[in-house]
Amino acid sequence: QVQLVESGGGSVQAGGSLRLSCAVSGVTASTKYIGWFRQAAGKEREGVGCLTNDNGSIYYVKFWKGRFTISQDSAKNTVYLQMNDLKAEDTAMYYCAASGSVTLISDGGRLYCDPIPRNFGYWGQGTQVTVSS
């Protein structure tokens, strides 16, 4: 059974950093993509980026601002979201999720992912990030 558990959220001042963790278990070939998402109050859930759990390939949503970095520690079965230079608008609940497929978009020689929340069948409980200005 696929399980994802996020941790690392909290309150931070604007300009600060946080590293979120997503402990992953039970992932199979049919759920090998791990996505990071966030959802602010009153807004739709939006994707940050995707990671292929078996080979560690990382893809970001095309229009992401680049302040966030996804990484993986395979030995710990953990995926990370490092967030730097946080802004008040980054305040949201952050989730990791697993899917068997993601849409990759090629643009300018780079691959970007387009994680659609409804295509991710397994979700963690989320971790709240609050950024004060």
Side-chain angles (χ1 to χ4, degrees):
Q1 183 175 356
V2 179
Q3 290 188 323
L4 305 104
V5 180
E6 303 94 335
S7 62
S11 297
V12 64
Q13 289 191 333
S17 298
L18 281 174
R19 188 178 76 162
L20 306 183
S21 300
C22 173
V24 181
S25 62
V27 172
T28 66
S30 63
T31 54
K32 68 177 184 179
Y33 294 97
I34 306 298
W36 277 105
F37 296 82
R38 70 181 189 180
Q39 186 167 20
K43 295 187 177 181
E44 292 187 354
R45 194 166 295 188
E46 62 176 350
V48 174
C50 313
L51 176 144
T52 307
N53 199 49
D54 56 357
N55 64 20
S57 296
I58 296 170
Y59 311 96
Y60 294 94
V61 174
K62 182 179 178 182
F63 297 107
W64 201 251
K65 297 299 185 182
R67 294 180 290 115
F68 293 4
T69 303
I70 296 171
S71 63
Q72 179 187 36
D73 185 334
S74 299
K76 296 182 178 179
N77 293 321
T78 300
V79 179
Y80 301 100
L81 180 65
Q82 176 68 43
M83 306 186 295
N84 297 326
D85 190 23
L86 284 162
K87 305 178 186 302
E89 54 263 40
D90 294 321
T91 294
M93 185 73 80
Y94 285 74
Y95 300 89
C96 59
S99 174
S101 65
V102 293
T103 299
L104 296 180
I105 300 169
S106 178
D107 189 346
R110 294 189 62 180
L111 287 175
Y112 302 90
C113 74
D114 182 22
I116 300 172
R118 66 175 181 271
N119 292 342
F120 284 72
Y122 300 91
W123 291 82
Q125 82 288 352
T127 186
Q128 177 69 38
V129 171
T130 302
V131 183
S132 57
S133 57

